[in-house]
Amino acid sequence: MIKIRRRHEEAIVPTKGTTGAAGYDLYAPADFSLGPGEREVIDLGIEMQIPVGVVGVIKSRSGLASRLSCDVAAGVIDSDYRGSVGVLLCNNGKEWVHFKAGDRIAQILFLLCYAGGLVESEQLTPTERGEGGFGSTDKRKEEQPTTPPKRTKQEAPEQVKFQF
């Protein structure tokens, strides 16, 4: 379980919209507005005790992003952080956006976080993708047949073992 502490009465404990929702909704504790191009850290007035091996990732709400052009610009909550949680909210639109206390402004996902070490290496195992970066798999989809090739056991990708 993740413990939540409200710093004041106006703070709202995160909730899930549905049982199948991946994220927990984060709420504005007070009214505020963002002008076009403005960004502001909204202090939610809550603290979290996230277990070791888990990270809280704050993400935009799809409705706010698509309808109002309001996005979350940053948001990693480490397991050893105990301060007040804030949301860096950005108005990327051309109009003022107004929020009321209790409005859902972002969401937080709790994800397992790799805790193993890093080791420098002169050589990395080659992959099908190779050095292809942004958009490279989209280009490759146009060139390849629609059915993926069958793999034998020997060709299966290497599995990563996580330590938590």
Side-chain angles (χ1 to χ4, degrees):
M1 296 298 273
I2 294 171
K3 293 181 180 179
I4 306 288
R5 185 175 87 82
R6 294 187 313 145
R7 294 169 66 106
H8 51 76
E9 287 206 19
E10 293 78 23
I12 301 171
V13 173
T15 62
K16 280 190 166 203
T18 66
T19 56
Y24 288 80
D25 293 324
L26 299 174
Y27 298 89
D31 297 354
F32 70 95
S33 298
L34 287 176
E38 286 186 350
R39 59 180 46 211
E40 186 174 336
V41 176
I42 309 303
D43 185 342
L44 303 179
I46 58 172
E47 298 170 348
M48 297 183 177
Q49 183 175 322
I50 299 173
V52 173
V54 176
V55 62
V57 179
I58 299 177
K59 302 294 284 178
S60 301
R61 292 185 43 79
S62 59
L64 289 179
S66 64
R67 289 192 315 272
L68 302 175
S69 297
C70 278
D71 298 294
V72 171
V76 170
I77 312 298
D78 296 311
S79 64
D80 60 350
Y81 178 68
R82 292 295 183 270
S84 189
V85 174
V87 172
L88 178 54
L89 200 58
C90 301
N91 179 357
N92 296 313
K94 297 178 181 175
E95 305 290 331
W96 278 84
V97 181
H98 307 283
F99 296 93
K100 300 271 187 211
D103 283 351
R104 296 174 297 170
I105 61 170
Q107 59 184 319
I108 188 167
L109 292 98
F110 297 101
L111 307 174
L112 296 177
C113 186
Y114 177 70
L118 303 177
V119 61
E120 185 176 0
S121 176
E122 292 293 324
Q123 187 175 15
L124 303 177
T125 306
T127 66
E128 180 181 341
R129 182 176 184 168
E131 294 183 15
F134 295 102
S136 65
T137 57
D138 294 334
K139 293 175 192 170
R140 197 170 310 143
K141 284 180 188 174
E142 296 168 5
E143 299 167 6
Q144 292 183 350
T146 55
T147 55
K150 292 186 179 184
R151 294 181 181 216
T152 65
K153 253 188 171 175
Q154 293 81 16
E155 296 173 328
E158 182 181 331
Q159 297 295 313
V160 176
K161 294 180 182 178
F162 290 99
Q163 298 175 6
F164 297 103

